[in-house]
Amino acid sequence: MNYPKVILKSGKDQSVKRYHPWIFSGAIKKIIGNVNEGDLVRVTDNKDEFLALGHYQIGSIAIRIISFEEKEIDKKFWKEKISNAYKLRKDFGLAENENNNVYRLVYAEGDGLPGLIIDFYNGTAVLQMHSIGMYLNKENIIEALKDNYGEKLTAVYDKSESTIPFKSGINAKNEYVYGSSIENIVLEYGNKFKVNWEEGQKTGFFIDQRENRKLLAEYSKDRSVLNVFGYTGGFSVYAMHGGARLVHSVDSSKKAIDLTNENIKLNFEDTGRHEAFAVDAFEFLNDIDNKYDVIILDPPAFAKHRNVLSNALQGYKRLNAKAIEKIKPGGILFTFSCSQVVSKENFRKTIFVAAANTGRNVRILHQLSQPVDHPINIYHPEGEYLKGLVIYVE
Ligand code: SAH
């Protein structure tokens, strides 16, 4: 194992010793050997003690660690990583379940593979690589996927064009790297969804809301439900299955609304209880006084960076204040933030201020997070991004 060696400054090795998978460029004292972006490097402390193996990249996060043990990073390593990730999904009933064939197979740091996302859609694995080191291991990853799934793997689609740093000169393209897909209908806990990984947002579907959608179904019976920022209509389909009296879906994108209508048709013969609107959420909410028993607010990340955090919090506050003000007495609001930079505490405080502005009595029924196929590595708290509150508004 003759990898280039990276020596950390004394005192800058604490986070690695506590298994944090990132090393910032400022922690590096010296690099010995010739190192290119994406190379595997061997990290030691100032006294030459081994700490980790990771992928090197130019930028503020200089090394993404893939092993805290000194071992061979070979085909066997990748196969073990993928099969471990699969085992977790299988053990928790997401894989090999006849009612469910969509799940996140690899959630980056949460599965010990920083820079790699793999979503599984009924036979098609969609890869999204965020680091050059991962990208250079694409063939090993595909081989490990084939090894894990056998004939159950019909295609692998690489969707890394927009996630690999442009300046690296790698020119990543979105393309099939194995097989081709004929099936684009997936089953999530028995609900059918059409997924377009080639053109859809992210890898095509927001798998992370699965358990929260399931909870919504339990609150939908005989109620009128408004799903705002609906995208594929995920929450709407669950509300319909849960026996909602009426379901309205709102998204500013016409494509999303068309997809929502398609998904409703896929699941129900009688679509009369559902209607979808391609309008701006803030505008729609102006005009909903006392109309809905249940409202879902699942907006896109308002803050992608820390420097826009306060604007983002204002946005969440405005949105939630409208919904809390206008929901029917005894109403239930499912409200979410998927901004990584908005902490659980900040989000809850924002909903508190929104509620206080309306003067209504509000109680928290559930505090929601991300599901088991988006596991949070305890040594990498940055992996926690999805927060939700279910509140009861008197
Ligand atoms: N709830 C969805 C995911 C939402 S993604 C699910 O369970 O899958 C966020 C969605 O918000 C996108 O579809 C985007 O088109 C929509 N959106 C963004 N800004 C909006 C706005 N101002 N008004 C309405 N929809 C908006």
Side-chain angles (χ1 to χ4, degrees):
M1 281 186 284
N2 222 348
Y3 306 124
K5 194 158 113 182
V6 175
I7 304 170
L8 301 189
K9 290 177 189 161
S10 121
K12 293 281 185 183
D13 51 14
Q14 285 310 308
S15 83
V16 189
K17 286 184 172 161
R18 279 192 236 107
Y19 307 108
H20 195 285
W22 297 343
I23 296 173
F24 291 95
S25 55
I28 297 176
K29 180 180 167 191
K30 200 155 125 197
I31 298 177
I32 300 172
N34 188 17
V35 60
N36 294 309
E37 274 203 295
D39 281 353
L40 196 62
V41 294
R42 185 175 183 277
V43 184
T44 68
D45 68 10
N46 198 26
K47 297 195 183 95
D48 209 28
E49 285 292 318
F50 172 84
L51 293 173
L53 297 169
H55 291 141
Y56 177 78
Q57 192 158 314
I58 296 167
S60 137
I61 303 174
I63 298 166
R64 290 170 173 83
I65 293 169
I66 59 168
S67 176
F68 289 95
E69 278 169 59
E70 186 143 37
K71 60 163 145 183
E72 205 65 61
I73 307 297
D74 50 10
K75 289 184 190 305
K76 187 167 148 263
F77 168 87
W78 293 100
K79 284 182 183 170
E80 267 177 20
K81 283 282 189 186
I82 295 292
S83 79
N84 282 344
Y86 182 73
K87 185 174 180 304
L88 183 89
R89 280 67 185 172
K90 191 177 141 202
D91 287 351
F92 290 98
L94 298 173
E96 294 180 35
N97 171 345
E98 59 179 27
N99 285 314
N100 196 78
N101 54 34
V102 49
Y103 51 86
R104 177 153 288 189
L105 173 68
V106 172
Y107 175 52
E109 288 83 0
D111 285 289
L113 292 170
L116 181 64
I117 298 287
I118 306 179
D119 286 339
F120 188 78
Y121 294 114
N122 189 13
T124 298
V126 179
L127 307 186
Q128 204 159 52
M129 283 154 294
H130 292 253
S131 76
I132 295 159
M134 275 301 161
Y135 196 81
L136 298 180
N137 278 285
K138 188 160 65 174
E139 291 307 323
N140 286 328
I141 295 164
I142 297 167
E143 204 174 303
L145 284 168
K146 286 187 200 164
D147 189 68
N148 184 69
Y149 285 106
E151 283 182 354
K152 282 189 238 150
L153 186 72
T154 49
V156 179
Y157 186 71
D158 176 7
K159 201 176 183 186
S160 306
E161 193 171 301
S162 61
T163 56
I164 287 292
F166 176 71
K167 60 176 179 359
S168 69
I170 277 187
N171 275 328
K173 290 210 168 37
N174 291 345
E175 60 187 357
Y176 286 95
V177 286
Y178 169 68
S180 64
S181 289
I182 34 167
E183 185 57 72
N184 62 356
I185 309 277
V186 302
L187 260 188
E188 185 187 84
Y189 287 163
N191 300 280
K192 290 183 199 148
F193 292 101
K194 185 177 159 187
V195 179
N196 186 342
W197 43 83
E198 294 177 29
E199 287 166 24
Q201 303 174 37
K202 305 270 172 93
T203 69
F205 192 62
F206 285 83
I207 302 172
D208 55 0
Q209 288 285 23
R210 178 200 316 108
E211 305 303 322
N212 303 331
R213 293 193 267 258
K214 189 172 165 217
L215 181 67
L216 170 81
E218 292 171 23
Y219 283 101
S220 297
K221 191 151 180 50
D222 297 328
R223 292 190 162 114
S224 53
V225 178
L226 171 65
N227 178 16
V228 191
F229 305 97
Y231 187 31
T232 56
F235 281 100
S236 304
V237 168
Y238 277 74
M240 295 275 284
H241 268 139
R245 184 162 54 75
L246 161 163
V247 179
H248 286 169
S249 306
V250 170
D251 198 291
S252 55
S253 148
K254 173 76 172 58
K255 267 194 183 163
I257 290 303
D258 291 344
L259 187 56
T260 298
N261 283 325
E262 259 187 82
N263 283 331
I264 296 285
K265 274 200 208 117
L266 259 181
N267 287 278
F268 308 97
E269 281 181 9
D270 161 28
T271 59
R273 286 182 292 147
H274 178 262
E275 207 175 332
F277 305 87
V279 290
D280 179 78
F282 288 87
E283 269 176 41
F284 192 91
L285 289 174
N286 280 333
D287 213 18
I288 59 156
D289 292 83
N290 278 323
K291 255 172 102 172
Y292 300 102
D293 300 303
V294 178
I295 300 178
I296 301 110
L297 297 177
D298 184 25
F302 284 168
K304 294 227 163 84
H305 298 286
R306 200 158 285 285
N307 48 8
V308 292
L309 181 61
S310 84
N311 279 348
L313 293 176
Q314 282 298 322
Y316 287 117
K317 191 182 80 186
R318 222 156 49 85
L319 188 68
N320 281 279
K322 278 197 185 192
I324 296 170
E325 182 196 334
K326 291 169 190 284
I327 199 166
K328 271 191 183 171
I332 300 166
L333 174 66
F334 280 65
T335 182
F336 297 95
S337 163
C338 60
S339 302
Q340 193 263 328
V341 296
V342 175
S343 67
K344 218 177 349 194
E345 294 71 27
N346 252 339
F347 183 61
R348 186 167 155 168
K349 241 185 259 166
T350 304
I351 305 306
F352 158 82
V353 177
N357 282 355
T358 68
R360 293 182 76 170
N361 200 8
V362 170
R363 281 178 275 177
I364 296 174
L365 304 179
H366 300 273
Q367 308 195 40
L368 307 177
S369 179
Q370 56 208 65
V372 292
D373 52 340
H374 295 63
I376 302 157
N377 174 350
I378 200 160
Y379 307 114
H380 178 257
E382 296 89 338
E384 180 172 8
Y385 69 97
L386 184 62
K387 303 145 290 276
L389 290 173
V390 182
I391 59 176
Y392 181 68
V393 185
E394 277 176 47

